[in-house]
Amino acid sequence: MLTDGEEFGLQGAKARCESGKDDDAVFVLNIDGVGRDSVLEVWSGPEPVERTIRQCLSKSPESFQAIYKCPPPPGSDHAPYFDKGIPVCMLTFNDQGILHSPKDIYEESKLDNMAVMVRLSLDLLEQMEIIRKKG
């Protein structure tokens, strides 16, 4: 699922969540941003899910420093789902200090972090048995 309108009051995620199309969802993974740094913010909840996510990410061969927040703050597209009682996780390599500013320019490190984010996300979903690896 892709949503839009996060900076405008989470309009896309709210509309999708309120539509009822995702009422059977067992988990929502929100990949919020892929910045330049190696600090990975992990916002998740409820608490039992957060513990599972911590355990899964601790096994990752990727190099990152995790900052965990539980319950997840409300400022991103996972929020309507968490409010509805659906377990969530938001992952971001945050560039909050320069996001959407003239300093927010293309850098190779963002491409590297995109690849890391894909591997982290797939590995997390596989370990949580939400998806299965083909083959």
Side-chain angles (χ1 to χ4, degrees):
M1 157 184 53
L2 298 173
T3 62
D4 197 6
E6 180 195 53
E7 282 80 15
F8 301 102
L10 307 176
Q11 295 303 307
K14 284 180 180 178
R16 175 71 188 207
C17 187
E18 290 168 4
S19 75
K21 293 179 181 177
D22 302 318
D23 284 352
D24 61 345
V26 295
F27 183 74
V28 170
L29 176 61
N30 175 16
I31 300 171
D32 187 75
V34 184
R36 297 154 182 79
D37 206 354
S38 63
V39 176
L40 178 70
E41 289 189 35
V42 184
W43 301 2
S44 58
E47 193 173 324
V49 171
E50 191 256 358
R51 285 192 300 269
T52 299
I53 290 166
R54 279 179 180 259
Q55 185 179 35
C56 292
L57 291 177
S58 73
K59 299 174 187 174
S60 175
E62 302 296 340
S63 178
F64 61 89
Q65 174 193 350
I67 297 174
Y68 293 93
K69 296 182 182 183
C70 179
S76 193
D77 291 316
H78 62 275
Y81 294 93
F82 184 71
D83 291 345
K84 202 170 188 175
I86 297 171
V88 301
C89 177
M90 185 208 71
L91 301 175
T92 184
F93 287 108
N94 206 337
D95 273 346
Q96 201 62 39
I98 63 172
L99 193 63
H100 306 306
S101 78
K103 294 179 182 178
D104 191 5
I105 59 171
Y106 169 81
E107 293 180 27
E108 289 286 326
S109 59
K110 288 177 100 174
L111 296 178
D112 295 338
N113 275 356
M114 285 180 189
V116 170
M117 185 65 80
V118 168
R119 291 189 300 266
L120 276 175
S121 299
L122 290 173
D123 189 47
L124 176 63
L125 294 171
E126 288 170 4
Q127 286 189 61
M128 293 180 71
E129 298 182 353
I130 293 171
I131 64 171
R132 286 191 210 131
K133 189 179 263 187
K134 284 186 176 182

